[in-house]
Amino acid sequence: MADQEEDFSSLPLPDRFVHKNWKVRKQGYEDAAKAFESTPDESDPVFKPFLQDSGLWKGAVADSNVAAQQEAINALCSFLKYGGRNGCVRTRNSTITPIFEKGLSSTRAATKQSSLEALLLYIELDKADPVIEELLPALSNKQPKIIAATLSTLTSIYHAYGVKIVDPKPVLKALPKIFGHADKNVRAEASNLVVELYRWLREAIKTLFWNDLKPVQQQDLEKLFEVVKQEPHPKQERLLRTQQAAVEAATASGGGGDNEAEGEDDEGEAEVDAFDLAEPVDVVSKIPPDFYENLASTKWKDRKEALDALYAVVKVDRIKDGSFDELISVFAKCMKDANIAVVTVAANCVEALAKGLRKSFAKYRGRIMSPILERLKEKKQSVADALGAALDAVFASTSLSDCLEEILEFLKHKNPQVKLETLRFLIRCLKTTRSAPSKAETKSIADAATKLLTESTEVTRSGGAEILGTLMKIMGERSMNPYLEGLDDIRKTKIKEYFDAAEVKAKDKPKPAAPPPPKAAPAPQKKVLGKKPATGVKKAPPRPATPQEDPPPPPPPTTKPAASRGIPSKLSGVPKSGLAAPSGALKLQKRLAGPAGASVPVLSSPQRNIPTPTFDDEAIPPPKLGLGSRGLAGRPLGKPISAPSESAAPSVAPGMSAIERAELEELRAEKERLQKLSEDLRVDKSRLASQINELQNQNAQLIEDHTRDVLSIKAKETQLVRARSDAEAAEQTVQKQQREMERLKRELSRVTRAATPPMGTDGGDHIYRDAGMGMNGTNHIVSGVDRYESSRASREIGYQRARSYMSSPSEEKENGGLDAQRGKLGSPESRGRDMSDEARSRGGSPGRAQDGRDSVTGQPIESWRRAAEVTNQLKARIEQMKARQALARPH
């Protein structure tokens, strides 16, 4: 056996994959997985035989031995993970079918998990469409367990990748048939899949299959949807290899674009609607053949019926693009129809057509929008709503820039109803547009809205304020401030209210990007300052000459006359040196001390640089290092010296050259601009600081309110818990009392029954006995009284027992004197003794009857006496009981 095992291990992996012995195959799968994991890259030779023959994986995944099959699927996962996209594409068509037939429905949990991981890797390495195409036939399999396992796998795939990566339409089309399956597990997995898709698609999921379900199934799914509605929108949990590479690249480059991309994906996912899922419908071929004839009828009912039939055709989620020019012309003509019912249905048709075509409807906008706006003069609300819905659908297919010109024209309409409905339409456009208007468009909208603020009707004025508030929400307060300067405080407050309440979709592309141009604007001005190093540096001519070696040849002819002019100014001394630099006092001393011949070259070299403006453009980079190192502004080392130089400048102005005077003016203008810019920045800083403080205060107030609300909620919850516990305790007490009452009732009835039967039995016997004995009238009366008193006494005894049982201990204490006699009356011994005496007196034995009978009547003599005694005793007891009851009543 050992030799054989060594031979097996020495076999190539492909041969071991198809070996007859399952142990050899299992070991081969394990060795293959280890070999794949140890490869340096996707081009390793170990992958080659498995890429060339994909049938190896088909047989491995469908291995008849469950243990070997588990290792085979693990090896496939390792192959896909390290083999890359090439291995995925080569083996996908051969492995997916055996995976869902044998892997997903396996009895081993590890095999199921590995099969699911293999399918997820197939999607991750390439794309999801081929995998879904291979899985869809499994939904028609004869075995319910395979269908259920495939549905569960689809649920996991959508949960991991979402509907942006995995197209849900093929699966949604197959759902109605699955919901009609006889197996309950299949239907349960189908419900789970629909709930998962609802997490991503929301109400758009109902466009494809909802109407094919039974009402009961729809109700069950609606209950499941209610739970999902409370959850946040899902995000993709597993990335494709291409997405992983993009994330890594973004992280390596800076890592900032990562979150932005995720945010865009979230917005895109939230925008999934029925239009994206629906199949295009060719409505042109479905238009009734007599549509245009009926529409030309003189009867408005015929025209309305024709439009109703057309509306039923175009009322679909998505319309296939085609030629609708004739229909648009018909709709535009219907907008002028005298009957408002026809106008309403025509507007509904325009709305349905625009929603079904979306962007394809944009080419028809110019022909239909103006007739609809003109028809807004109708005051009936149902007609206005239909026209407004049609305008909204037309706008959704275009953009604000396309519609703005016509809207602004109709804002000037003479009809106040048209003007009012048009401004409402403009407000809806501003709220739904996804692109912010340009500056020119903003100005035109703001001007039109400002004119509306002076209208005579309050509704129109409020509409104008709402337009400005909504526009401010899009563009920002700073951009809108110029348009609000001439308004009074009341109107500004109204606009501010609409600004706070407005909800817009336009991405306000903050134009703080404009700040860079202001930074670039000073650059040309700094270039002007760059002249200073050339003019003012009279001590070191080489410094200006080094960056500008080519330009010097042209200037000399023009600069030499300047040098000759500069000699008199040099002789005069102060003017020229004072203009040369703010700190020119030291220069004057040096020039006066030096020889005249030495001073001439010193003057000539800077003068050659003065009239050369071309030098400034080439010397742009050096001046950008700072203001302090440029020209006249950069020469003084001490700031206090600069002030006197500026103040002295006017006095020296007559001796300045035109170039220096212009340069000085430029410096002054630059200083003023910088001071103004600094002041603006200071104002902005203070404003932003105040806004920050206000926001911090609002945040603190919100936190305080939140804390107070939380504490209040907790207190209410505590009270609710206490109230519930009290209610439960009270309910238990009530139940206990009810049980006690039932027990008392049963005891009372039992005691009454125990006391009553002896009376009825004895009384009946005596009645018949006395009637058959032939006694005289007196005997009958005595026996009747005896029976009456006996039965009455028995009833009283029963009643007293019931009262004594129901009486409280306190009553027994208070009535202690009567307890002994009550016990005597109610004790079994006394009752038995009385009854035995009565029985002896009424029905004794024959022997005793012979001894004590009267010779005339044949009745015992003693029985008369005994009956009288018993009667007296009973009367006495009755009186005692009445007295006792009288005593007990006040208590």
Side-chain angles (χ1 to χ4, degrees):
M1 293 296 292
D3 296 338
Q4 292 178 357
E5 290 178 2
E6 291 176 3
D7 293 338
F8 293 151
S9 62
S10 63
L11 290 175
L13 288 175
D15 295 343
R16 294 159 68 182
F17 268 45
V18 296
H19 202 277
K20 294 180 180 180
N21 192 336
W22 69 270
K23 293 183 179 179
V24 179
R25 296 196 304 271
K26 180 175 179 294
Q27 187 63 38
Y29 302 148
E30 295 175 356
D31 294 344
K34 294 177 182 178
F36 297 147
E37 292 175 1
S38 60
T39 55
D41 53 27
E42 300 174 1
S43 60
D44 194 274
V46 73
F47 295 108
K48 188 174 181 180
F50 300 98
L51 293 174
Q52 293 176 346
D53 186 8
S54 59
L56 294 173
W57 288 116
K58 182 176 181 180
V61 173
D63 199 302
S64 58
N65 186 275
V66 291
Q69 182 193 20
Q70 179 178 340
E71 296 300 332
I73 298 177
N74 291 337
L76 176 62
C77 292
S78 180
F79 173 79
L80 295 174
K81 187 175 182 181
Y82 298 99
R85 182 179 180 276
N86 193 21
C88 162
V89 175
R90 292 287 187 88
T91 61
R92 181 171 53 203
N93 296 333
S94 302
T95 57
I96 293 181
T97 300
I99 282 177
F100 72 71
E101 286 181 349
K102 284 198 164 187
L104 295 176
S105 59
S106 175
T107 56
R108 292 194 170 197
T111 304
K112 291 182 180 180
Q113 186 63 31
S114 299
S115 302
L116 175 60
E117 179 63 22
L119 294 175
L120 293 176
L121 284 171
Y122 275 121
I123 297 175
E124 177 182 329
L125 292 169
D126 188 27
K127 53 184 179 180
D129 293 343
V131 178
I132 300 300
E133 289 177 3
E134 294 286 341
L135 287 176
L136 285 178
L139 299 179
S140 302
N141 199 286
K142 295 180 180 180
Q143 301 182 27
K145 67 175 184 178
I146 293 179
I147 301 176
T150 305
L151 290 171
S152 177
T153 302
L154 290 172
T155 304
S156 301
I157 289 173
Y158 284 109
H159 185 80
Y161 292 108
V163 295
K164 286 293 183 182
I165 304 300
V166 187
D167 187 10
K169 286 195 285 188
V171 177
L172 288 174
K173 291 178 182 178
L175 283 177
K177 182 179 178 181
I178 297 173
F179 272 100
H181 200 279
D183 190 87
K184 64 178 182 179
N185 295 328
V186 174
R187 296 195 302 271
E189 290 296 340
S191 299
N192 295 336
L193 176 59
V194 171
V195 171
E196 179 61 35
L197 290 173
Y198 186 83
R199 292 177 63 240
W200 298 89
L201 302 174
R202 300 301 180 184
E203 294 299 323
I205 195 177
K206 299 180 179 180
T207 57
L208 292 181
F209 76 101
W210 192 256
N211 294 331
D212 297 331
L213 300 180
K214 298 178 181 178
V216 177
Q217 294 173 335
Q218 293 179 357
Q219 294 175 4
D220 294 341
L221 290 176
E222 287 289 356
K223 293 178 182 178
L224 298 176
F225 293 163
E226 290 298 327
V227 180
V228 179
K229 289 179 181 178
Q230 308 301 325
E231 300 177 0
H233 201 279
K235 296 182 179 179
Q236 183 179 345
E237 296 182 357
R238 186 162 178 164
L239 301 178
L240 303 178
R241 288 289 175 90
T242 54
Q243 293 175 326
Q244 295 175 12
V247 171
E248 291 175 359
T251 305
S253 62
D258 226 7
N259 297 333
E260 295 177 0
E262 291 179 1
E264 292 175 0
D265 290 343
D266 293 343
E267 291 177 1
E269 288 172 358
E271 293 173 1
V272 176
D273 58 6
F275 185 83
D276 299 325
L277 299 176
E279 292 292 333
V281 179
D282 185 10
V283 300
V284 177
S285 59
K286 297 181 179 181
I287 296 177
D290 56 348
F291 169 72
Y292 295 102
E293 295 179 4
N294 294 334
L295 201 60
S297 174
T298 56
K299 297 181 180 180
W300 69 269
K301 288 186 178 181
D302 295 341
R303 299 195 299 272
K304 182 179 180 299
E305 290 175 359
L307 290 172
D308 287 334
L310 178 65
Y311 180 72
V313 173
V314 299
K315 185 60 178 176
V316 292
D317 294 317
R318 191 170 185 176
I319 298 175
K320 184 179 180 181
D321 193 11
S323 179
F324 297 96
D325 298 275
E326 191 173 1
L327 275 181
I328 297 299
S329 301
V330 168
F331 293 150
K333 183 179 179 180
C334 290
M335 290 299 136
K336 301 177 182 179
D337 199 287
N339 189 275
I340 59 174
V342 176
V343 176
T344 304
V345 181
N348 294 336
C349 292
V350 172
E351 179 188 2
L353 190 63
K355 288 183 177 180
L357 290 173
R358 292 285 176 96
K359 297 300 180 183
S360 300
F361 189 83
K363 55 189 175 183
Y364 307 114
R365 179 202 58 81
R367 300 167 56 185
I368 193 64
M369 178 173 282
S370 295
I372 296 177
L373 290 171
E374 189 69 37
R375 190 65 187 195
L376 289 174
K377 61 185 179 181
E378 294 293 339
K379 294 183 179 181
K380 191 172 182 180
Q381 191 60 37
S382 60
V383 182
D385 292 342
L387 295 172
L391 287 173
D392 293 342
V394 172
F395 173 76
S397 65
T398 58
S399 63
L400 180 63
S401 302
D402 297 335
C403 305
L404 186 59
E405 184 178 355
E406 293 184 38
I407 294 174
L408 294 179
E409 285 297 325
F410 277 90
L411 280 178
K412 305 173 185 177
H413 203 277
K414 295 183 292 183
N415 191 316
Q417 185 67 21
V418 174
K419 184 183 297 185
L420 177 61
E421 294 298 332
T422 304
L423 71 86
R424 288 175 178 171
F425 173 52
L426 177 58
I427 294 171
R428 296 195 299 272
C429 293
L430 292 175
K431 289 182 178 180
T432 56
T433 182
R434 293 191 176 276
S435 58
S438 62
K439 291 184 178 179
E441 293 170 348
T442 302
K443 184 177 185 305
S444 59
I445 295 173
D447 293 343
T450 304
K451 292 179 182 178
L452 293 175
L453 295 176
T454 59
E455 290 288 332
S456 58
T457 58
E458 172 61 23
V459 180
T460 308
R461 294 196 299 270
S462 299
E466 188 172 359
I467 291 175
L468 290 173
T470 308
L471 188 62
M472 184 185 296
K473 193 77 170 183
I474 298 174
M475 306 303 299
E477 295 184 56
R478 187 173 183 180
S479 300
M480 292 296 296
N481 284 337
Y483 307 108
L484 307 181
E485 290 179 354
L487 302 178
D488 55 15
D489 294 338
I490 297 176
R491 290 172 179 169
K492 288 182 179 179
T493 303
K494 191 76 171 178
I495 294 171
K496 182 66 175 175
E497 292 177 359
Y498 285 114
F499 165 74
D500 295 334
E503 295 181 2
V504 297
K505 295 181 180 179
K507 292 182 179 178
D508 185 15
K509 296 177 181 177
K511 300 189 178 177
K519 290 182 181 177
Q525 298 170 355
K526 292 178 183 178
K527 295 176 185 177
V528 177
L529 294 175
K531 293 178 181 179
K532 283 307 203 180
T535 57
V537 183
K538 296 183 179 180
K539 291 183 180 179
R543 185 177 296 177
T546 49
Q548 304 170 354
E549 296 177 359
D550 298 336
T558 58
T559 55
K560 286 180 181 178
S564 62
R565 291 178 199 164
I567 294 172
S569 65
K570 169 70 177 181
L571 294 175
S572 60
V574 177
K576 192 66 177 179
S577 62
L579 292 172
S583 59
L586 297 176
K587 297 178 182 179
L588 287 174
Q589 293 175 0
K590 291 180 181 179
R591 292 172 186 172
L592 292 174
S599 64
V600 173
V602 173
L603 287 171
S604 61
S605 59
Q607 286 175 356
R608 290 173 185 173
N609 293 331
I610 290 171
T612 55
T614 56
F615 293 1
D616 302 335
D617 297 335
E618 297 179 0
I620 292 172
K624 289 183 179 179
L625 297 175
L627 292 174
S629 61
R630 295 174 302 189
L632 294 173
R635 292 294 302 210
L637 297 177
K639 291 183 180 178
I641 302 175
S642 61
S645 65
E646 293 177 358
S647 62
S651 61
V652 190
M656 293 176 59
S657 65
I659 297 175
E660 291 177 343
R661 189 179 296 107
E663 187 175 1
L664 183 59
E665 292 298 329
E666 291 175 355
L667 289 174
R668 289 175 178 172
E670 176 69 13
K671 180 181 177 182
E672 292 177 0
R673 281 192 293 270
L674 292 176
Q675 288 177 349
K676 185 176 180 181
L677 179 62
S678 176
E679 185 65 23
D680 293 341
L681 292 175
R682 191 179 297 108
V683 172
D684 292 343
K685 181 179 179 182
S686 61
R687 182 177 58 80
L688 292 174
S690 63
Q691 291 180 358
I692 291 172
N693 292 332
E694 183 179 356
L695 291 175
Q696 288 176 347
N697 294 334
Q698 293 178 359
N699 188 25
Q701 183 64 29
L702 290 174
I703 293 174
E704 182 180 354
D705 295 343
H706 177 69
T707 305
R708 184 169 59 253
D709 294 341
V710 170
L711 294 177
S712 176
I713 290 172
K714 289 184 178 179
K716 296 296 183 183
E717 289 178 351
T718 304
Q719 294 176 2
L720 183 59
V721 170
R722 290 178 179 175
R724 286 177 178 173
S725 61
D726 294 343
E728 292 176 358
E731 185 177 358
Q732 292 177 359
T733 304
V734 169
Q735 293 177 355
K736 185 178 179 180
Q737 295 294 338
Q738 289 177 349
R739 289 195 299 270
E740 184 68 16
M741 290 175 61
E742 293 293 334
R743 190 178 64 82
L744 292 175
K745 289 179 180 179
R746 289 195 300 271
E747 185 66 21
L748 178 60
S749 61
R750 185 183 64 82
V751 172
T752 304
R753 286 195 304 270
T756 304
M759 296 184 297
T761 305
D762 295 341
D765 294 341
H766 285 289
I767 290 172
Y768 291 110
R769 186 180 301 125
D770 292 343
M773 290 176 64
M775 293 177 60
N776 56 15
T778 303
N779 293 335
H780 282 293
I781 293 173
V782 172
S783 62
V785 171
D786 185 13
R787 287 193 301 272
Y788 171 75
E789 293 296 339
S790 176
S791 62
R792 181 177 179 182
S794 299
R795 285 195 299 272
E796 290 294 338
I797 292 171
Y799 296 154
Q800 290 300 326
R801 280 185 181 177
R803 292 193 189 97
S804 64
Y805 181 79
M806 297 180 65
S807 63
S808 61
S810 60
E811 293 177 352
E812 292 179 1
K813 289 182 180 180
E814 293 176 359
N815 303 324
L818 301 176
D819 289 343
Q821 192 167 1
R822 183 190 306 170
K824 182 178 179 182
L825 290 173
S827 62
E829 294 82 0
S830 60
R831 188 170 63 252
R833 187 166 52 251
D834 294 341
M835 294 176 65
S836 61
D837 294 342
E838 184 178 355
R840 283 195 302 269
S841 63
R842 295 186 181 183
S845 61
R848 292 177 61 186
Q850 292 294 333
D851 295 338
R853 288 182 184 276
D854 193 337
S855 58
V856 179
T857 62
Q859 291 291 333
I861 298 174
E862 289 296 330
S863 62
W864 288 93
R865 298 173 184 172
R866 185 61 182 169
E869 292 177 1
V870 171
T871 302
N872 293 331
Q873 291 177 1
L874 288 175
K875 288 181 180 181
R877 289 172 184 171
I878 290 170
E879 294 298 331
Q880 291 175 358
M881 284 188 287
K882 288 182 179 180
R884 191 186 314 160
Q885 290 178 359
L887 292 174
R889 281 174 187 168
H891 301 283

